[in-house]
Amino acid sequence: MKILYVFAHPEPRSLNGALRDVALAELQAQGHQVQVSDLYAMGWKAEVDRSDFPAWDADRPLAVVPASKEGYAAQSLTPDVQAEIDKLLWADVLILQFPLWWFAMPAMLKGWVDRVFAYGFAYGVGEHSERRWGDRYGEGRLAGKRAMLVVTVGGWREHYAPRGVNGPIEDLLFPIHHGVLYYPGYEILPPFLAFRSDRFDEAAFAAAADELRGRLRTLQSTPPIPFRPQNSGDYEIPAMQLRAGLERPGASGFGLHLAPPRDGVAPRPPASAATVEA
Ligand code: FAD
């Protein structure tokens, strides 16, 4: 398979850097073709501004959505953004690796998403009308591809459990899984999570490395998180609300957007098939 590995940590000698090296060695051992976007090493420009849209008239107030739309359509986005779009189109699998910072991805990686996920490419795709609200949430330009997060987390797994004080990790990652990656069409694999990452030692690292290798060996066969496709009939149009009666018993909030399995047993999205902690 073709893999795009996006890495967002400022220090190659960090825990993240060491896990990244494990991952790349495993992917290469499996015979995959791999491209790496090491955002800090690339000096990635994280902020969206006027310089991203060279064809936008200098006298015109910058309006980012139409500027992105025009720029993508005219192929006049900047070369760094276009190169990342090309990598995304090339790859069968996208892996994003980052440390959890303030319950979210680092600004560097968010800035990669902001700039690369352009209008007409990652959003604004398909028919938008009273009958249809675009090709998104399971459909879109990146449909048929898979994505997975590799995240190091300072806190304990218990603190991110359903009753944990930090909130469930699957809820915290929902905006990335569902809002950023499922939106343009990716199937989302359960994340690889390394908890208590600031306390890692040799033993914890060895366990994490083993788990990570295992996850990378099963990229093709791991069942994705069962998010509901938008255009499957589960949502009312145009309000795009889940139809009454389709929710799993007791489901609310983000959990509404998980489809029940066919046998009727309520699913619990795996926070990770591999949750490692120090
Ligand atoms: P490093 O600092 O590089 O290393 C961590 C530990 O692993 C060190 O003890 C190091 O000695 C050891 N180590 C490194 N490499 C190896 C190796 N090869 N083998 C064995 N041991 C090794 N956490 C949360 O839970 N929630 C948050 O919201 C959150 N917000 C944060 C916000 C900021 C701005 C920052 C800086 C941290 C935040 N954290 C949070 C903690 C953060 O998630 C962790 O610091 C991060 O995941 C650790 O990854 P790292 O690669 O930076 O680790």
Side-chain angles (χ1 to χ4, degrees):
M1 289 192 296
K2 297 172 188 157
I3 317 270
L4 174 58
Y5 202 101
V6 179
F7 178 71
H9 193 287
E11 174 56 64
R13 293 163 296 176
S14 61
L15 174 62
N16 269 271
L19 290 172
R20 185 261 323 261
D21 293 346
V22 165
L24 295 182
E26 181 60 32
L27 292 170
Q28 273 148 16
Q30 295 292 316
H32 298 305
Q33 296 175 61
V34 183
Q35 293 196 64
V36 179
S37 290
D38 182 341
L39 300 184
Y40 283 90
M42 291 158 69
W44 182 258
K45 168 182 173 291
E47 69 280 12
V48 175
D49 61 21
R50 184 176 280 277
S51 69
D52 290 322
F53 311 108
W56 190 262
D57 192 323
D59 297 332
R60 206 173 161 198
L62 176 64
V64 173
V65 171
S68 178
K69 181 179 183 180
E70 289 177 23
Y72 179 72
Q75 298 187 308
S76 63
L77 298 174
T78 53
D80 60 343
V81 168
Q82 190 59 54
E84 297 304 300
I85 289 174
D86 292 345
K87 290 182 202 170
L88 288 167
L89 291 170
W90 168 86
D92 304 306
V93 178
L94 169 66
I95 297 175
L96 303 181
Q97 186 190 336
F98 56 93
L100 192 72
W101 282 358
W102 287 110
F103 299 93
M105 61 174 86
M108 177 65 97
L109 181 56
K110 179 59 164 48
W112 178 84
V113 174
D114 288 345
R115 295 183 61 227
V116 174
F117 280 38
Y119 188 110
F121 172 60
Y123 70 107
V125 174
E127 176 186 338
H128 282 72
S129 67
E130 289 297 297
R131 293 184 296 112
R132 190 175 171 90
W133 213 265
D135 297 344
R136 59 176 194 169
Y137 296 122
E139 296 178 302
R141 287 284 160 81
L142 299 167
K145 301 173 184 284
R146 308 191 124 198
M148 186 175 96
L149 304 183
V150 172
V151 188
T152 61
V153 182
W156 293 22
R157 174 170 42 195
E158 292 84 345
H159 301 180
Y160 289 96
R163 296 171 67 85
V165 67
N166 291 337
I169 192 69
E170 60 264 33
D171 283 5
L172 297 177
L173 296 180
F174 183 89
I176 305 174
H177 280 151
H178 193 262
V180 172
L181 297 171
Y182 189 57
Y183 192 104
Y186 282 110
E187 287 188 332
I188 312 304
L189 301 186
F192 172 87
L193 302 169
F195 289 101
R196 297 177 74 176
S197 53
D198 290 317
R199 304 292 178 111
F200 255 53
D201 57 17
E202 296 305 319
F205 183 80
D210 274 353
E211 295 278 3
L212 182 55
R213 287 189 201 99
R215 289 300 311 278
L216 296 172
R217 284 185 210 118
T218 55
L219 285 174
Q220 272 175 303
S221 58
T222 300
I225 298 173
F227 291 130
R228 296 173 189 268
Q230 172 182 274
N231 297 319
S232 62
D234 284 3
Y235 295 93
E236 292 170 9
I237 300 171
M240 301 315 304
Q241 296 200 10
L242 185 67
R243 292 184 191 282
L246 291 186
E247 59 273 22
R248 291 177 293 118
S252 63
F254 296 147
L256 288 173
H257 305 294
L258 294 169
R262 289 176 190 205
D263 62 8
V265 177
R268 179 79 198 154
S272 170
T275 51
V276 182
E277 50 194 321

